[in-house]
Amino acid sequence: MNKIPPQQAFSRLASLCARREYCQHDMLEKMRQWGLSEDEQAQVMQQLTEGRYVDDERFTRAFVNDKVRYGKWGRRKIEQALWMKRIDEGIVSNVLDEVDDEEYLDVLRPLVKQKLRTTRADNDYELRMKVMKSALSRGFTMDLIRQCLDTPEAPDFP
């Protein structure tokens, strides 16, 4: 793509930010693709943050909310995704600490029940390991997984 002037880049990025949340890393990546220099990127990014078009904490809150409620992700997977977007660890831990374990359990319980019903295994141990592996791959912590599997309302193993 041909290099675009910084003011045009700002206009395009502000328009994008009006439609949904973006983090600084996403904006810098777009500007890099458009061929803006480091100084121009810094200038445009300053305009975007001062105008509150881009706010990493606001982005993180929206991202965490969407991934827990709709994506059915656990804390570890969300942390990894935000790390890849280069969000500050302080922001990530503060926002994730606001999510109560009960919210994760509300997401995890139906997933575990469904997995227990649909997974084939030769014995209880193998079934539990498959369910645990599935939940771990979605980013849930082992203590929450055990809590789901060891509660009285957990379904009986076949």
Side-chain angles (χ1 to χ4, degrees):
M1 183 175 225
N2 293 338
K3 183 179 189 285
I4 64 172
Q7 199 51 41
Q8 186 181 0
F10 172 76
S11 297
R12 283 186 184 180
L13 295 175
S15 175
L16 284 175
C17 290
R19 287 182 238 145
R20 76 175 186 101
E21 292 292 338
Y22 285 92
C23 64
Q24 289 185 26
H25 175 72
D26 292 341
M27 297 290 101
L28 290 170
E29 189 61 30
K30 286 207 178 294
M31 288 187 279
R32 188 188 61 72
Q33 290 173 359
W34 293 339
L36 271 69
S37 70
E38 297 274 329
D39 291 337
E40 291 170 331
Q41 289 178 30
Q43 174 192 351
V44 172
M45 186 53 65
Q46 183 179 358
Q47 287 179 290
L48 289 169
T49 53
E50 286 175 357
R52 304 240 332 124
Y53 292 100
V54 174
D55 182 346
D56 278 354
E57 185 170 348
R58 191 177 63 216
F59 168 81
T60 303
R61 286 185 196 288
F63 187 88
V64 168
N65 182 48
D66 287 352
K67 296 306 178 190
V68 170
R69 287 188 177 79
Y70 306 115
K72 312 243 186 275
W73 286 12
R75 181 182 178 108
R76 300 290 174 241
K77 190 168 182 175
I78 294 170
E79 283 175 341
Q80 182 68 25
L82 291 170
W83 177 82
M84 291 178 70
K85 290 195 173 282
R86 295 182 174 88
I87 303 293
D88 181 67
E89 286 182 35
I91 293 172
V92 173
S93 63
N94 286 341
V95 172
L96 285 173
D97 287 345
E98 292 172 6
V99 179
D100 189 35
D101 278 354
E102 199 57 43
E103 284 186 64
Y104 290 121
L105 287 170
D106 289 343
V107 169
L108 182 59
R109 281 185 191 114
L111 293 173
V112 166
K113 285 181 182 178
Q114 177 66 25
K115 195 70 177 171
L116 285 169
R117 276 197 308 270
T118 59
T119 303
R120 293 177 188 241
D122 295 332
N123 54 49
D124 288 353
Y125 176 79
E126 184 181 342
L127 179 61
R128 286 177 67 94
M129 290 303 109
K130 285 182 177 183
V131 170
M132 282 182 187
K133 186 176 179 182
S134 171
L136 284 170
S137 73
R138 286 185 162 267
F140 292 97
T141 57
M142 195 55 134
D143 61 317
L144 291 177
I145 297 167
R146 280 199 181 110
Q147 198 172 334
C148 276
L149 289 173
D150 296 340
T151 57
E153 67 267 3
D156 291 329
F157 293 100

